Amino acid sequence: MKCRVILVAFVYSCGEEEKHIQEQELVTRILNGDEAAFRELVATYRQYLFQTIYAIVRHTKDAEDLSQDVWSRIYFSLPQYQMKGLKTWMTRIAVNRAIDFKRSASRRREEMTSEMEIPMQAVQTAGTSSFSSNGVEHEVLIKETTELVRQKLHQIPANYHEVLTAYYIQHQSYQDIANAHGVTVKTIESKLYRAKQWLRNNWKEEDFM
């Protein structure tokens, strides 16, 4: 039994060594300008890298776009590759790119939702003479955000629909909404907070492009 295990390990080791040599030869061909060699590399690992990226971003279109970007990075980074595990090296590039993308998307959602929290009354009551170029840009952003909320209200759960409509579409204050529903301002603040969390968690990056 022990001899069999050793034999299997030896065969596996030889197979890995042969694969490593083939990968080195493939990379060398690519670095020498052999386009067919790069197409061969893509064909071999395309599905694997796509699945790696998709496992992180969980969105097919994003994973497809990121895959193209990752392959470009792999191609232009090959001169720095040190021939120490091609698959591992490419996986690291794909994972880092996917994580960066997800962090960027999360920050963008946070920034957009933060803009939502600024009442429209602040823009509407500001005198036109006091508007700077930044103020105008901010007003446009607020209007675009309000329109986005209006378009996507049908996607929002019923228990958040009414309070979001009152706050973003009708531009009511916390106190006005609380009075209309016969509850405390604290209750409305809590409900709006949960509704905004839902937006952050469910609206994808492309919703804010």
Side-chain angles (χ1 to χ4, degrees), residues 55-121:
I56 297 173
V57 302
R58 294 293 178 182
H59 189 273
T60 301
K61 183 62 167 60
D62 290 339
E64 290 172 350
D65 292 343
L66 286 170
S67 292
Q68 295 181 7
D69 181 52
V70 165
W71 279 114
S72 294
R73 292 177 183 230
I74 288 172
Y75 181 82
F76 289 110
S77 299
L78 274 176
Q80 285 76 52
Y81 172 58
Q82 298 179 353
M83 303 294 184
K84 295 181 179 179
L86 182 60
K87 185 176 181 180
T88 300
W89 178 76
M90 292 191 301
T91 300
R92 189 179 301 116
I93 292 176
V95 169
N96 288 342
R97 180 67 185 94
I99 290 175
D100 286 345
F101 172 84
K102 194 165 185 179
R103 286 174 178 167
S104 176
S106 178
R107 284 196 300 270
R108 198 169 301 182
R109 286 195 294 269
E110 290 287 340
E111 291 168 0
M112 180 60 73
T113 311
S114 295
E115 292 292 343
M116 292 178 183
E117 296 175 4
I118 302 175
M120 277 290 292
Q121 293 95 319

Side-chain angles (χ1 to χ4, degrees), residues 11-197:
V11 172
Y12 176 78
S13 176
C14 291
E16 286 297 302
E17 181 65 24
E18 182 180 355
K19 181 179 179 181
H20 181 61
I21 293 173
Q22 290 174 347
E23 288 179 344
Q24 287 181 321
E25 292 175 349
L26 189 63
V27 170
T28 300
R29 287 168 54 200
I30 296 171
L31 294 176
N32 288 333
D34 188 340
E35 294 183 3
F38 186 68
R39 289 196 294 270
E40 182 180 336
L41 180 66
V42 174
T44 301
Y45 291 104
R46 176 172 49 206
Q47 188 60 28
Y48 166 75
L49 288 184
F50 172 81
Q51 291 174 345
T52 298
I53 295 168
Y54 180 81
I56 297 173
V57 302
R58 294 293 178 182
H59 189 273
T60 301
K61 183 62 167 60
D62 290 339
E64 290 172 350
D65 292 343
L66 286 170
S67 292
Q68 295 181 7
D69 181 52
V70 165
W71 279 114
S72 294
R73 292 177 183 230
I74 288 172
Y75 181 82
F76 289 110
S77 299
L78 274 176
Q80 285 76 52
Y81 172 58
Q82 298 179 353
M83 303 294 184
K84 295 181 179 179
L86 182 60
K87 185 176 181 180
T88 300
W89 178 76
M90 292 191 301
T91 300
R92 189 179 301 116
I93 292 176
V95 169
N96 288 342
R97 180 67 185 94
I99 290 175
D100 286 345
F101 172 84
K102 194 165 185 179
R103 286 174 178 167
S104 176
S106 178
R107 284 196 300 270
R108 198 169 301 182
R109 286 195 294 269
E110 290 287 340
E111 291 168 0
M112 180 60 73
T113 311
S114 295
E115 292 292 343
M116 292 178 183
E117 296 175 4
I118 302 175
M120 277 290 292
Q121 293 95 319
V123 176
Q124 293 171 339
T125 57
T128 55
S129 60
S130 65
F131 265 88
S132 63
S133 60
N134 288 337
V136 173
E137 292 173 1
H138 182 70
E139 180 184 18
V140 171
L141 178 60
I142 290 292
K143 288 181 178 179
E144 290 176 350
T145 301
T146 299
E147 182 59 28
L148 176 63
V149 174
R150 189 192 309 275
Q151 293 172 0
K152 290 184 170 290
L153 276 176
H154 66 281
Q155 299 178 359
I156 298 172
N159 55 322
Y160 298 144
H161 190 286
E162 190 172 10
V163 69
L164 286 171
T165 299
Y167 186 70
Y168 289 123
I169 308 303
Q170 300 171 358
H171 313 308
Q172 295 182 23
S173 67
Y174 283 15
Q175 186 64 62
D176 290 338
I177 302 172
N179 291 341
H181 290 80
V183 297
T184 65
V185 170
K186 202 72 176 176
T187 299
I188 296 302
E189 288 176 348
S190 177
K191 192 165 186 178
L192 270 171
Y193 173 80
R194 292 195 301 272
K196 292 168 187 174
Q197 286 297 109

